[in-house]
Amino acid sequence: PELKVLLFLMWEEGESKVSVGVYPHQSKHWEALELSDCSTKEEIKAKYRKLSVKYHPDKNQEDGAKERFQRITEAYEALKETDGQLAFPWERFPERQQMMKGSDLIRTLGFLGAEAAQQDPIKAQFMQQVVKEATDCRVLLHERDTKDEEKSCKEIWADALCVDERSGANHLVKVYRRIVTLSEAAKLAAKEGMEELDE
C-alpha cells in the first residue's frame, strides 16, 4: 500500500519560529477529479458531482466507466475536507523552481528545520526518511529579509512535492523559518536596561 505520512514539528522562541510539516499529497486523487491541489471544498464537491453523474455505471456503459466512477468516489472521500491548504503552486513560480532527489533535498535544505527537529528527534528522523526515499522532488524556495532600527527578520519558505516512484508515495513538505535578531543598538539598550535593574 501507498505510504501516507502526516507529521508536524514546530519551534518558537520570542518572535522566531521554525515549522516543518509532511503531508500526504494524493496526486492521483487530484488527477481523478481533474482539479488542481489548490481547489476549495466547494470546487471539489462541484467537480465530484459533475464527474460522478457523467461516469455513473447506471448512466455510462463505456468500457472503464465503472472503474473511473470508483476512482472519482475514492478521490472525493480522500479530499472532501481539503480546502486549498495543500496547494503546491509549481506553475506560478518558475523562477523559484528547483528539481532534486530526496537525499539532495535533505543535504541542501535540511538545516532550515533544525530547531524544530530538536523538539522531537524521533519524529524528525521519520520525516527525513520519508523525504530521503523520494526519487523526485520539486522544490519552491522563497526568501525575504526585513530590517528596521530595532531588529532584522529573515524568512524562508520551502515547499517540496516529493514523489517516491518505487512505492507510489507522494508527500508535500512545507518548511517555514523566521529568525528575528535584535540590532546592535537594541541589544545595547537591553543590556543597559538589565544593568540598571541589577543596581
Side-chain angles (χ1 to χ4, degrees), residues 18 29 63 71 83 90 94 112 122 129 142 164 170 172:
V18 176
H29 295 316
D63 286 342
R71 285 195 308 275
D83 203 11
W90 179 255
L112 292 177
I122 302 294
Q129 190 61 35
H142 177 67
D164 182 355
N170 193 331
L172 183 61

Side-chain angles (χ1 to χ4, degrees), residues 172-187:
L172 183 61
V173 178
K174 291 183 159 287
V175 180
Y176 173 68
R177 180 179 183 83
R178 179 182 65 224
I179 302 299
V180 178
T181 53
L182 293 175
S183 68
E184 290 304 316
K187 286 180 189 176

Side-chain angles (χ1 to χ4, degrees), residues 13-17 151-154 178-182:
E13 186 175 286
E15 294 180 52
S16 298
K17 176 181 178 178
K151 61 189 171 190
S152 64
C153 178
K154 181 170 186 74
R178 179 182 65 224
I179 302 299
V180 178
T181 53
L182 293 175

